[in-house]
Amino acid sequence: MRALLEAVLATALLLGIFQSGCSVTFEVKDDANKTCILTDFSINFTVEYKKGDKQAIASFPLPESAAVDKLSSCGKTGTEPILVITFGSNFSLSVHFNKTDTDYRVEQLVFVYNLSDANTFPEAAEKGTKQVSSNKPEISAKKNNYYQCSSPHLVRMDNVNATFHNVKLEAYFSGSNYSGNATLCKEDATPTSAPTVAPHTSTHTPTPTSAPVKPKTPDNGEYRVNASSGTLCIFAKMGLQLNITYRKNNKNVSYEFNIDPNQVKPDGNCSNDYATLRLFSKVVDLLFNFTLNTTENKFYLGHVNLSTIVPDGNETINVDSGSLSYLQTTTHKSYKCNAKQTLKITDDFSINTYNLQIQAFDIDGNKFGPAVECAEDQNGMLVPIIVGAALAGLVLIVLIAYLIGRKRSHAGYQTI
Ligand SMILES: *[C@@H]1O[C@H](CO)[C@@H](O)[C@H](O)[C@H]1NC(C)=O
Ligand SMILES: *[C@@H]1O[C@H](CO)[C@@H](O)[C@H](O)[C@H]1NC(C)=O
Ligand SMILES: *[C@@H]1O[C@H](CO)[C@@H](O)[C@H](O)[C@H]1NC(C)=O
Ligand SMILES: *[C@@H]1O[C@H](CO)[C@@H](O)[C@H](O)[C@H]1NC(C)=O
Ligand SMILES: *[C@@H]1O[C@H](CO)[C@@H](O)[C@H](O)[C@H]1NC(C)=O
Ligand SMILES: *[C@@H]1O[C@H](CO)[C@@H](O)[C@H](O)[C@H]1NC(C)=O
Ligand SMILES: *[C@@H]1O[C@H](CO)[C@@H](O)[C@H](O)[C@H]1NC(C)=O
Ligand SMILES: *[C@@H]1O[C@H](CO)[C@@H](O)[C@H](O)[C@H]1NC(C)=O
Ligand SMILES: *[C@@H]1O[C@H](CO)[C@@H](O)[C@H](O)[C@H]1NC(C)=O
Ligand SMILES: *[C@@H]1O[C@H](CO)[C@@H](O)[C@H](O)[C@H]1NC(C)=O
């Protein structure tokens, strides 16, 4: 028989001790009225969706009216506990648990939202429900501990960001309240408010998927744009890393992330004077706009636009700069820079390029024209040249010294 559940929605608690908002309590009980999941949390959701022909962001918190759904379960032998919360016009969040001998964790989060809800998603181009999910969203605790995370903890599910905060959670327990010991999330264990003695005031936030502190060198992507006539008008090979500075608790935080060539959809168009390359994904919308100076027969990157969501923010960051002149090259030639190059777009946004080669407007035979190398690459080549020259000089000196020495000793030999 299916476990009959007493799913209790407790009253929303106002947790004054924490920085913001109210947490909602959820409890799942088994047949014998024993609690197996108890949790309190707040969530801020941001959902990226299509509004007309533009991308837009809807932000909303988990409402106090959210309730435990009958699909919740303590799990029987062979199945694991699950908490299902429903709210609004058919929105739901399913929290799947799993455990080992020493720990338990949230194995998967599944979020379902309803684009037909015009209050939440005004002018949505699509209608109906959508489902997104995240595996192993880094919510775990030791056995017989409860999990605690007062700091914001971001879980990304495709185009949806769920920022949990003021979280207390325990699964697999048989008491009636939280255990005595807490396992803190890493955001709480290393509070971002702790002042550092580093000379920079900017702190670093790890990227949401527990990426290493410094992102690795980005993967190289190949991007092409055709003009409406069908001819190739932008050809680029490059690895891109974005570096965005934003304000968090009155501090500057830098967010560095790599463009994954497999995740972005390249797109763009070209006119006589402008050539644009747009790299678009669920989390980023990056536009490179090249300008052609016909009098000088040169092209350059004149304009960059970026829209993205920062890890713990709930709104899109939009950066736009139209007064640039990077990657300047004579037409029919390509610009090349293998070394890391930083293109400063604004005070708060720069792009690090790696192994870059790019050409816009006239691309003969769909191949790169002669490459104009950046100064960084030329300096890079200077070092081997200097070392080589120095070595050759050294060999020459040794040789001369040897010859002189030989002559002297020869001469000395004769006098004896
Ligand atoms: C379940 O336990 C609660 C207290 O934790 C009690 O108020 C409720 O009456 C119990 N329900 C059943 C069906 O035993
Ligand atoms: C989605 O929301 C709309 C409007 O609130 C509602 O009419 C519709 O039934 C909802 N869809 C589902 C699958 O519940
Ligand atoms: C959640 O959103 C509310 C308002 O919508 C805001 O006041 C609060 O700071 C947000 N909390 C986090 C952790 O993002
Ligand atoms: C559970 O413990 C919390 C403090 O950790 C307390 O505020 C709450 O009232 C307790 N709930 C019950 C049902 O005892
Ligand atoms: C660009 O045109 C080439 C042929 O000239 C075609 O093979 C390619 O698919 C086109 N690319 C796009 C993105 O339309
Ligand atoms: C990102 O920008 C910040 C602030 O300008 C800087 O301190 C940091 O070194 C940059 N990171 C990378 C990888 O370029
Ligand atoms: C490219 O930049 C030029 C000059 O700033 C502007 O007129 C044009 O609209 C831009 N194109 C796009 C697609 O942003
Ligand atoms: C082209 O370059 C010349 C010389 O630098 C400058 O005077 C002119 O304004 C430029 N034209 C465009 C369209 O950028
Ligand atoms: C979230 O949005 C609210 C209002 O939209 C704003 O007041 C708050 O500062 C935002 N929080 C973050 C972390 O950006
Ligand atoms: C944060 O960055 C802005 C713009 O780059 C700058 O004006 C401000 O002084 C910085 N604040 C701190 C605390 O470094």
Side-chain angles (χ1 to χ4, degrees):
M1 178 196 137
R2 209 190 134 84
L4 179 73
L5 296 161
E6 246 263 7
V8 175
L9 166 65
T11 47
L13 303 170
L14 274 170
L15 295 181
I17 42 167
F18 294 121
Q19 65 269 51
S20 68
C22 46
S23 294
V24 189
T25 303
F26 304 99
E27 190 174 7
V28 178
K29 294 183 173 187
D30 68 7
D31 288 353
N33 205 6
K34 280 212 148 191
T35 304
C36 65
I37 302 170
L38 181 62
T39 181
D40 287 84
F41 51 69
S42 308
I43 309 176
N44 280 359
F45 290 100
T46 65
V47 179
E48 193 177 348
Y49 72 104
K50 247 186 134 150
K51 182 178 185 177
D53 56 359
K54 291 214 167 70
Q55 293 298 117
I57 307 277
S59 306
F60 51 93
L62 178 72
E64 286 175 32
S65 59
V68 173
D69 189 80
K70 283 193 275 297
L71 288 170
S72 303
S73 145
C74 285
K76 294 173 289 189
T77 33
T79 66
E80 299 300 330
I82 172 175
L83 165 66
V84 182
I85 298 163
T86 51
F87 59 95
S89 26
N90 243 313
F91 288 45
S92 72
L93 181 72
S94 308
V95 186
H96 298 254
F97 291 90
N98 205 345
K99 69 172 193 296
T100 64
D101 289 345
T102 53
D103 303 271
Y104 65 93
R105 63 164 181 264
V106 174
E107 185 68 25
Q108 192 188 35
L109 281 177
V110 181
F111 179 58
V112 176
Y113 59 99
N114 180 357
L115 285 171
S116 306
D117 177 352
N119 292 330
T120 313
F121 304 106
E123 297 161 51
E126 284 180 86
K127 301 286 172 210
T129 55
K130 297 261 170 214
Q131 178 175 316
V132 292
S133 64
S134 168
N135 290 324
K136 302 196 171 53
E138 301 198 299
I139 299 175
S140 65
K142 291 200 192 74
K143 198 176 167 182
N144 298 326
N145 272 26
Y146 66 91
Y147 167 86
Q148 179 159 352
C149 199
S150 306
S151 310
H153 177 77
L154 175 83
V155 178
R156 281 200 171 182
M157 297 177 271
D158 291 337
N159 57 318
V160 176
N161 281 355
T163 307
F164 286 76
H165 46 112
N166 302 339
V167 180
K168 254 180 131 174
L169 175 152
E170 189 166 358
Y172 301 101
F173 78 120
S174 50
S176 59
N177 208 338
Y178 295 111
S179 304
N181 298 320
T183 300
L184 298 183
C185 62
K186 67 173 191 298
E187 290 89 344
D188 275 9
T190 51
T192 45
S193 55
T196 51
V197 283
H200 294 285
T201 39
S202 62
T203 53
H204 184 91
T205 31
T207 42
T209 46
S210 82
V213 172
K214 284 283 163 198
K216 61 181 178 63
T217 306
D219 291 338
N220 239 44
E222 238 183 80
Y223 310 105
R224 289 182 176 80
V225 175
N226 286 350
S228 45
S229 64
T231 52
L232 186 66
C233 64
I234 297 183
F235 181 28
K237 289 186 182 180
M238 55 194 172
L240 295 172
Q241 184 177 76
L242 310 186
N243 187 349
I244 301 154
T245 303
Y246 62 101
R247 256 52 65 191
K248 185 185 171 189
N249 303 328
N250 290 323
K251 287 204 297 186
N252 285 345
V253 178
S254 63
Y255 172 46
E256 295 148 2
F257 78 94
N258 293 345
I259 297 285
D260 179 349
N262 299 319
Q263 296 291 316
V264 292
K265 201 171 91 56
D267 164 19
N269 55 53
C270 302
S271 68
N272 290 337
D273 308 318
Y274 298 109
T276 56
L277 167 65
R278 184 178 178 213
L279 301 177
F280 181 76
S281 78
K282 299 239 162 94
V283 292
V284 68
D285 187 357
L286 179 63
L287 187 119
F288 293 100
N289 192 347
F290 290 87
T291 304
L292 179 67
N293 187 325
T294 39
T295 52
E296 293 226 299
N297 281 324
K298 282 190 169 154
F299 69 86
Y300 57 89
L301 177 62
H303 177 184
V304 169
N305 183 296
L306 167 78
S307 293
T308 191
I309 308 166
V310 293
D312 44 7
N314 53 11
E315 55 200 336
T316 335
I317 286 201
N318 199 304
V319 189
D320 191 273
S321 179
S323 52
L324 311 169
S325 56
Y326 287 124
L327 319 178
Q328 186 156 311
T329 316
T330 309
T331 47
H332 300 277
K333 291 189 175 173
S334 62
Y335 180 93
K336 190 172 183 186
C337 200
N338 285 327
K340 173 186 169 184
Q341 194 184 18
T342 300
L343 310 178
K344 188 176 178 214
I345 309 301
T346 66
D347 283 347
D348 288 339
F349 174 45
S350 58
I351 303 175
N352 296 324
T353 70
Y354 294 82
N355 302 312
L356 171 125
Q357 189 163 12
I358 196 160
Q359 188 165 347
F361 301 102
D362 303 293
I363 303 170
D364 308 318
N366 294 338
K367 290 192 305 244
F368 283 126
V372 176
E373 292 253 347
C374 62
E376 288 88 340
D377 280 8
Q378 283 163 11
N379 289 344
M381 275 159 66
L382 220 57
V383 173
I385 290 170
I386 291 167
V387 169
L391 274 177
L394 201 68
V395 166
L396 208 67
I397 289 165
V398 168
L399 199 71
I400 290 167
Y402 169 75
L403 289 175
I404 290 171
R406 220 171 93 111
K407 208 172 171 190
R408 279 229 182 107
S409 65
H410 202 63
Y413 201 69
Q414 274 184 336
T415 51
I416 288 168

